[in-house]
Amino acid sequence: MGPTLYRKKAPLIAFLLPAFVFLILFLYYPFIQNIINSFSDITGLGAPAQGLNTPWYANYATLFTDPKLRTALGNTVLLTICTVIFQVGIALILALLVDSIRVGAQLFRTLYFFPIVISATALGLMFNLIFLYNGGMLNQLLTNLGFAAENIDWKDPDHFLFTMFAPVMWQYVGFYFVILVTGLNNISQDLYEAAALDGCTGLNRVRYVTLPLLRNVLCTCLVLAITGSLKVFDLPWVMFGAGMPQDQGWLTGTYMYDQTFNRGNVDYGSAIAILIVVLGVLFSNIANRVFKPRNDI
Amino acid sequence: MKKNRLLALGLASALTLGLLAGCGGKPSAPGSTSGTGGDKSNSGAKPAGGVELTVVTSYGGDDGNRSNYENAVASYEAATGNKIMDASGTSNEEWKAKVLTDFQTGTEPDVLFFFTSSDAEPIIQAGKVVDIATIRATYPDYADNMRDSMLAVASDGKNYAIPSSGFWENMFVNTKVLSDCGVAVPGPDYTWDQFLADCETIKAKGYAPIACSLFEVPHYWFEFCIMNNGTLGEQLAIPGSATDAVGQKWAAGLNDIKDLYEKGYFPVNTLTATDAETVQLFAEGEAAFLIDGSWKINYFVDNYGDQLSDYAISYVPAKGERKASEAIGGISMGYFITKKAWDDPAKQAAAVEFVKHMTSDDVMSTFVTTEVTALKNGASPSGLNPLQQAAADANASITGVIGPVQDTITSESRTDLFANVQNVVTGKMSAEDAVASALALN
């Protein structure tokens, strides 16, 4: 029955059609409309365009001269780098550690994955309390233990990057952890036993057996992490709002939202959205080339 | 085989039709809800014979009148059997933008409690709300307990909103902090120089003199600082440019805020704190002065009811021609009925009844304590707590009240102006440039 079913393509096309229609309606049509909007003069969400901008590429010219967008791009690139190093890096270390224990592995899997199921808004509120200037958990700890003489403003220009990035890193470590642990479980024990007979144990086992065999899974994690970091919005928005501190805290996502929804600058927000898409495609292509999965593994 | 193919095609068709049905642009059925509050268009959940109304107000979050609002809604529901789908939020620029966006995208509520100033012009000009004369043609007793002369007049000369309680903005003081610093509670003759001297004393004692988040709510200080550089009568003038007399007045006001910031009179984290954080600082006796509105009284009653005697209402220090006894106030918000609800036969009467209920003498008396009211019979608040009494005492010495100038500029202009206050005080932008930037968006 199976081969007959797949020889005839009509049923497959019929099954593919709903998803195709869905994508056309809710992805490609809005995307094309967004491109048109980025050349138009629109002063409010839902308001009709007042014709084209003068000149029509005005918003794209502004992209090159807007200092806040430059800040947003810088912060986003930095977030991407931190994501690769810390999010995937910490997830890898945790996965290797959990994989090497026999008791409690399932417990750790659940514990590390748990932040993923909490909404970003709730996490943002929680971290706001942790980093609160007056009476925040971190400041209380530091002052009471004598590590700080007075409260630290964790959202000021000297500290905001740490305060913004740390929760984002923490939130998604569990996601990559689970992927990597699954990858580790797929490595045959026979290989480890053979390596042990050859005298390869401890860190050498990780270096010469685990990491090479985990390469494809690791590459997938890195591509997901890089493209995901370009879209980060919710947690920084809840914690920092519009560009805190002093317009230094913008990310491309938060800046686009502020321009579109708070300032009514819908056409410029659309141009920023196009920029985010272009960057996303560019970054993911680079990541795919650099971390290209190998078929010989 | 044929059976399988038919089944496959049937499933695919159902999926496609289901998807397209979800995209249908038909208005929701009468009685079902639509709007901003995450409410459901499930007629099955509707109470028998009742109507579901989506209502958006600013009585959300930690608003001081939240409990009064909830009680009023509950009494309306009990009396009518109708259901209110409340989608209220906390009033700030983001909330205003969201409300306007909901109207632009066709997801407006049935009843809206919103600002009656220039903020409402986009929805009025788009014909999204119904004017009072039209409503009275069908419901002659609509808002007949209100003084018509106090109804806000829109740019087309019509009245749209039924005013709720008015407001005043003035300076709250923490008497415990002042006492500890040996500073007297300011009177109606309080000058700017005295204020600076007091701030220095308070700062030396280790307190934050002024509780304010310049990141989130610099507008209270902006209003009074520009009034200090002009007069009460000139308060509502809009600059033609940053260099004309009014533009210079605005720039001077911003520079006064910068001066206070540079002297270290605001909390250390004023550029990164939220309004809630700085108000808490004041409430818990770590800051001395707070400019806020009449709505904040209930916040203190609800959260610090056992220490109300630690707070008093005083006067914002004056300089130049302004007197400290001159304040910001008026009636700036009211209830609108949307065109969508008015045109829906199932909702029209329910929406009218809801607004009549919320603006009735009895309900309004739970909201109005020391504020201006448009009620013909006035409000009858039942007993004043110590803080309300302090407000009433302070109001007795008020010699002039004017509305906030920020209500007369566009939302985009206002957002830009207040977002740039942090850049002005840190010297990243001149006050003149901040004014020019805001005017370019007005």
Side-chain angles (χ1 to χ4, degrees):
Chain A
M1 187 193 102
T4 318
L5 177 69
Y6 293 113
R7 219 173 289 141
K8 299 198 172 180
K9 305 294 181 199
L12 295 178
I13 290 169
F15 271 113
L16 287 172
L17 196 63
F20 179 71
V21 173
F22 188 89
L23 281 175
I24 293 283
L25 282 177
F26 295 111
L27 184 67
Y28 296 112
Y29 166 66
F31 182 68
I32 291 165
Q33 187 60 49
N34 191 69
I35 295 173
I36 298 167
N37 288 351
S38 68
F39 295 110
S40 310
D41 178 15
I42 308 171
T43 53
L45 205 68
Q50 314 285 315
L52 289 179
N53 274 316
T54 315
W56 55 273
Y57 54 82
N59 284 327
Y60 290 92
T62 310
L63 290 179
F64 289 97
T65 56
D66 185 348
K68 288 182 193 169
L69 183 67
R70 241 187 335 264
T71 305
L73 283 171
N75 287 340
T76 305
V77 169
L78 195 59
L79 177 66
T80 306
I81 295 167
C82 289
T83 297
V84 169
I85 297 172
F86 296 107
Q87 232 172 44
V88 182
I90 293 172
L92 177 63
I93 293 168
L94 291 175
L96 289 170
L97 291 174
V98 169
D99 187 55
S100 61
I101 60 171
R102 289 288 163 261
V103 181
Q106 191 56 42
L107 172 73
F108 281 112
R109 278 193 195 198
T110 309
L111 286 179
Y112 291 142
F113 188 72
F114 194 64
I116 300 290
V117 301
I118 305 173
S119 82
T121 312
L123 286 180
L125 293 173
M126 184 185 82
F127 277 103
N128 266 339
L129 291 175
I130 290 172
F131 289 111
L132 199 65
Y133 180 78
N134 288 298
M137 190 184 87
L138 199 54
N139 274 339
Q140 283 198 56
L141 268 177
L142 291 175
T143 49
N144 288 337
L145 294 175
F147 292 117
E150 53 190 22
N151 287 344
I152 295 169
D153 184 359
W154 291 102
K155 293 182 179 177
D156 73 7
D158 293 333
H159 301 92
F160 78 96
L161 281 176
F162 168 75
T163 313
M164 185 190 288
F165 290 178
V168 176
M169 302 297 124
W170 177 82
Q171 187 188 11
Y172 282 103
V173 160
F175 177 69
Y176 300 109
F177 165 80
V178 167
I179 295 176
L180 291 169
V181 163
T182 309
L184 287 171
N185 286 344
N186 288 335
I187 299 174
S188 166
Q189 284 301 316
D190 297 348
L191 290 169
Y192 287 130
E193 283 164 13
L197 288 173
D198 290 339
C200 181
T201 52
L203 284 177
N204 278 337
R205 193 181 87 152
V206 174
R207 166 75 180 81
Y208 294 107
V209 180
T210 310
L211 287 181
L213 291 172
L214 202 59
R215 187 180 189 280
N216 286 354
V217 178
L218 209 48
C219 290
T220 306
C221 285
L222 287 168
V223 172
L224 285 176
I226 290 169
T227 49
S229 65
L230 291 171
K231 296 185 290 187
V232 169
F233 166 77
D234 37 20
L235 201 47
W237 183 260
V238 172
M239 290 184 70
F240 287 83
M244 183 195 289
Q246 299 154 53
D247 287 330
Q248 293 179 46
W250 293 110
L251 294 173
T252 46
T254 56
Y255 191 52
M256 179 194 70
Y257 180 89
D258 185 64
Q259 286 294 320
T260 308
F261 292 92
N262 288 346
R263 306 218 173 202
N265 203 352
V266 178
D267 48 322
Y268 187 50
S270 301
I272 299 171
I274 299 292
L275 177 70
I276 294 173
V277 171
V278 170
L279 284 178
V281 171
L282 193 71
F283 276 39
S284 57
N285 265 325
I286 293 172
N288 272 322
R289 279 167 199 269
V290 173
F291 306 115
K292 197 175 178 181
R294 281 166 49 183
N295 294 327
D296 57 338
I297 295 174
Chain B
M1 183 65 231
K2 202 168 190 178
K3 217 174 178 181
N4 282 339
R5 198 187 308 160
L6 278 173
L7 182 66
L9 281 170
L11 277 172
S13 307
L15 279 169
T16 312
L17 287 172
L19 175 72
L20 293 175
C23 307
K26 274 189 180 175
S28 50
S32 67
T33 62
S34 57
T36 56
D39 38 9
K40 299 127 194 135
S41 296
N42 181 2
S43 56
K46 194 177 67 176
V51 176
E52 286 184 1
L53 287 178
T54 308
V55 177
V56 167
T57 75
S58 63
Y59 296 124
D62 63 352
D63 188 278
N65 272 316
R66 178 71 198 169
S67 56
N68 291 331
Y69 172 73
E70 284 175 353
N71 292 338
V73 166
S75 60
Y76 168 79
E77 288 179 333
T80 62
N82 294 334
K83 176 85 180 150
I84 298 300
M85 307 299 283
D86 182 35
S88 297
T90 303
S91 174
N92 55 31
E93 293 308 313
E94 200 178 340
W95 176 75
K96 289 181 192 174
K98 186 184 177 306
V99 169
L100 295 178
T101 300
D102 285 342
F103 274 87
Q104 287 169 334
T105 52
T107 54
E108 67 266 36
D110 300 311
V111 175
L112 172 69
F113 178 68
F114 198 59
F115 292 90
T116 55
S117 56
S118 62
D119 286 312
E121 281 301 320
I123 57 175
I124 289 171
Q125 286 171 15
K128 294 277 190 175
V129 285
V130 187
D131 65 282
I132 292 171
T134 302
I135 298 171
R136 279 179 174 165
T138 311
Y139 303 91
D141 59 344
Y142 186 65
D144 62 356
N145 61 334
M146 294 283 166
R147 286 178 224 162
D148 282 358
S149 60
M150 293 184 77
L151 301 180
V153 182
S155 60
D156 61 2
K158 295 179 182 174
N159 309 116
Y160 288 87
I162 303 301
S164 178
S165 57
F167 73 100
W168 48 258
E169 289 173 15
N170 219 334
M171 193 152 82
F172 290 66
V173 294
N174 189 309
T175 52
K176 211 171 174 181
V177 174
L178 292 188
S179 168
D180 189 40
C181 299
V183 172
V185 174
D189 53 353
Y190 197 39
T191 67
W192 191 256
D193 289 337
Q194 284 175 312
F195 172 65
L196 294 180
D198 288 347
C199 283
E200 204 54 51
T201 308
I202 293 163
K203 186 184 163 193
K205 265 283 196 177
Y207 295 102
I210 305 166
C212 173
S213 161
L214 287 179
F215 171 73
E216 205 169 79
V217 287
H219 59 272
Y220 299 119
W221 279 94
F222 172 78
E223 290 289 344
F224 281 98
C225 282
I226 64 167
M227 207 200 291
N228 270 344
N229 286 279
T231 63
L232 183 90
E234 298 165 349
Q235 179 69 6
L236 299 182
I238 304 293
S241 73
T243 52
D244 68 15
V246 183
Q248 287 296 302
K249 179 180 78 171
W250 280 29
L254 287 171
N255 281 326
D256 281 348
I257 298 175
K258 183 180 185 220
D259 186 45
L260 296 175
Y261 174 80
E262 287 174 344
K263 286 187 160 85
Y265 296 159
F266 289 109
V268 176
N269 61 335
T270 183
L271 298 180
T272 58
T274 60
D275 181 45
E277 284 176 61
T278 54
V279 170
Q280 191 181 3
L281 205 65
F282 171 86
E284 294 183 351
E286 293 178 56
F289 301 120
L290 167 78
I291 297 185
D292 215 307
S294 42
W295 47 84
K296 197 55 91 182
I297 285 187
N298 282 344
Y299 165 83
F300 288 108
V301 173
D302 290 345
N303 296 287
Y304 300 93
D306 56 342
Q307 55 191 71
L308 289 182
S309 55
D310 289 350
Y311 317 115
I313 312 299
S314 176
Y315 306 88
V316 179
K319 71 175 189 179
E321 291 181 44
R322 178 185 162 250
K323 298 182 186 74
S325 56
E326 293 171 343
I328 300 289
I331 301 178
S332 64
M333 296 185 84
Y335 285 93
F336 295 85
I337 293 179
T338 63
K339 186 83 165 47
K340 193 171 81 172
W342 181 253
D343 289 342
D344 186 337
K347 288 187 174 181
Q348 188 187 87
V352 169
E353 274 308 311
F354 179 71
V355 175
K356 280 169 65 178
H357 176 78
M358 298 303 284
T359 56
S360 65
D361 287 11
D362 288 345
V363 170
M364 287 290 291
S365 292
T366 65
F367 285 78
V368 180
T369 50
T370 59
E371 304 87 349
V372 183
T373 173
L375 291 174
K376 283 177 184 169
N377 300 324
S380 320
S382 54
L384 299 179
N385 62 47
L387 194 54
Q388 287 164 339
Q389 189 57 55
D393 293 344
N395 286 348
S397 298
I398 291 292
T399 56
V401 174
I402 189 90
V405 68
Q406 61 151 327
D407 285 355
T408 62
I409 59 177
T410 63
S411 172
E412 291 79 13
S413 177
R414 189 168 51 233
T415 302
D416 186 74
L417 180 66
F418 296 142
N420 277 330
V421 168
Q422 56 182 338
N423 293 324
V424 171
V425 299
T426 51
K428 289 183 177 170
M429 180 185 252
S430 72
E432 287 78 8
D433 286 347
V435 174
S437 173
L439 291 176
L441 297 169
N442 197 29

